[in-house]
Amino acid sequence: MHKAHRFVVIILVSIFLFDGYLWFRIFSLSHGETKVYFFDVGQGDSGLVVLPNNVQLLIDGGRDAAVLSNLSRVMDPTDRTIEMLMMTHPDTDHFGGLIDVLERYHVALFLGTGRIADSEVYQRLHDVLIERNIPYLFLQEGDLFSYGDVVFTVLGPSSQELLSDATNDTSLVVLMQKGEKRVLFTADIGFQNEERLVRDYDLSADILKIAHHGSRFSTSDAFLAELQPSLAVINVGENRYGHPHADVLDRLSTYSIPFYRTDQDGIVEIDFTEDSFRVFTQN
């Protein structure tokens, strides 16, 4: 990768100012596993990253309260704290459920691009953030934050993509690296975003979150050839769009990439060890 990175220390500063207990929890001696869950929230996106010391990052929340039942299946019932929520872009099938999470969990920090939506649902999200005095940190291409040996690098949106009229083009694209293993979260990006990523970065990923629920306008041949993932996950539910599209499934087959889909496999859990990962499903 050749882009310069801005290290987002403000994340930890904001958490400290918000809650001293969370500061202790985050900076206590690092221990515990690193896991990634891809949630079954119907036709929407949601995933939970669990870091050592049980520090949690929820990436998107699906359309509605379905995310809560997923959280209850993977979190201790006494744990009412999720340190960070991330909204990749302001489409309801990605952020609607975050409102339910904000109303039921103690959240330290909200992450997003700053893009807004002209809808009642988005206004409710905005109101809840204000009511609960939760800091909102804007992320953009080049930002980087880490916890222990897990590093998150923001590859998109670029400043130009952020101006797009199409909200999918403004999606946060985040590369998570744990040791030698990488997970690429792609939200709802399309071919044009993928072309820029391939052009601007030396990309590789072990696990790929398939963009836009398997839309035919994402996950190009060039993108898969560059990434060469060992595994892919499709967040998808019953829909009228034909997701995941047969073209995408054919491309995955062409590159011999095994995949899971949340509408068939339920919650997909990935547990990281020092130099490998294991995959489990929960129907």
Side-chain angles (χ1 to χ4, degrees):
M1 300 180 186
H2 68 266
K3 297 277 185 173
H5 295 298
R6 181 178 66 126
F7 193 82
V8 190
V9 294
I10 192 171
I11 287 181
L12 299 182
V13 173
S14 298
I15 292 174
F16 171 69
L17 293 174
F18 186 78
D19 193 315
Y21 165 70
L22 292 178
W23 179 263
F24 170 79
R25 177 163 159 170
I26 287 176
F27 281 95
S28 58
L29 182 64
S30 178
H31 67 278
E33 293 182 299
T34 297
K35 300 183 179 184
V36 174
Y37 297 93
F38 295 92
F39 284 158
D40 177 13
V41 292
Q43 181 68 2
D45 258 25
S46 185
L48 180 71
V49 180
V50 180
L51 300 166
N53 298 332
N54 204 35
V55 171
Q56 295 155 341
L57 165 64
L58 181 64
I59 302 176
D60 288 333
R63 181 177 298 277
D64 52 35
V67 65
L68 298 178
S69 62
N70 284 259
L71 288 169
S72 68
R73 292 178 65 181
V74 304
M75 291 176 63
D76 188 298
T78 64
D79 186 0
R80 307 308 298 172
T81 296
I82 299 176
E83 283 72 19
M84 293 175 283
L85 302 190
M86 178 184 290
M87 177 180 68
T88 60
H89 63 298
D91 278 357
T92 306
D93 62 328
H94 287 250
F95 78 81
L98 295 180
I99 300 170
D100 299 277
V101 175
L102 287 164
E103 291 176 337
R104 290 165 177 80
Y105 287 85
H106 184 194
V107 174
L109 187 65
F110 192 85
L111 308 172
T113 65
R115 277 291 293 258
I116 64 175
D118 184 16
S119 68
E120 292 183 6
V121 181
Y122 184 85
Q123 185 60 50
R124 178 57 187 154
L125 172 69
H126 174 270
D127 291 346
V128 171
L129 290 172
I130 296 299
E131 291 165 6
R132 295 178 177 264
N133 196 31
I134 297 173
Y136 185 163
L137 178 66
F138 298 164
L139 296 176
Q140 60 187 10
E141 181 191 13
D143 286 340
L144 180 150
F145 57 99
S146 64
Y147 179 72
D149 65 344
V150 183
V151 180
F152 298 88
T153 304
V154 181
L155 306 183
S158 66
S159 56
Q160 188 64 36
E161 288 166 345
L162 194 55
L163 300 176
S164 174
D165 291 334
T167 56
N168 287 342
D169 291 344
T170 72
S171 294
L172 279 170
V173 180
V174 179
L175 181 67
M176 169 187 160
Q177 182 157 354
K178 160 72 173 174
E180 296 299 317
K181 299 303 178 183
R182 293 177 161 191
V183 184
L184 186 62
F185 298 93
T186 56
D188 276 359
I189 64 171
F191 289 152
Q192 190 170 3
N193 307 86
E194 293 175 356
E195 289 172 6
R196 179 189 66 79
L197 292 170
V198 169
R199 182 182 68 246
D200 290 354
Y201 293 96
D202 179 16
L203 285 180
S204 66
D206 299 280
I207 300 161
L208 172 64
K209 200 289 292 184
I210 295 295
H212 203 180
H213 323 293
S215 163
R216 67 185 302 184
F217 302 111
S218 303
T219 318
S220 67
D221 279 295
F223 197 56
L224 292 176
E226 177 76 9
L227 286 172
Q228 292 291 325
S230 302
L231 178 72
V233 180
I234 307 173
N235 283 96
V236 68
E238 184 177 349
N239 65 89
R240 66 178 188 276
Y241 308 109
H243 296 162
H245 197 276
D247 288 353
V248 173
L249 301 182
D250 287 345
R251 289 195 284 269
L252 291 173
S253 177
T254 297
Y255 288 93
S256 301
I257 302 168
F259 62 88
Y260 293 86
R261 40 190 292 181
T262 55
D263 63 334
Q264 295 180 356
D265 299 302
I267 297 173
V268 180
E269 173 185 344
I270 300 174
D271 295 359
F272 292 88
T273 60
E274 286 299 317
D275 55 2
S276 64
F277 61 85
R278 297 172 297 170
V279 182
F280 305 92
T281 59
Q282 301 181 34
N283 275 310

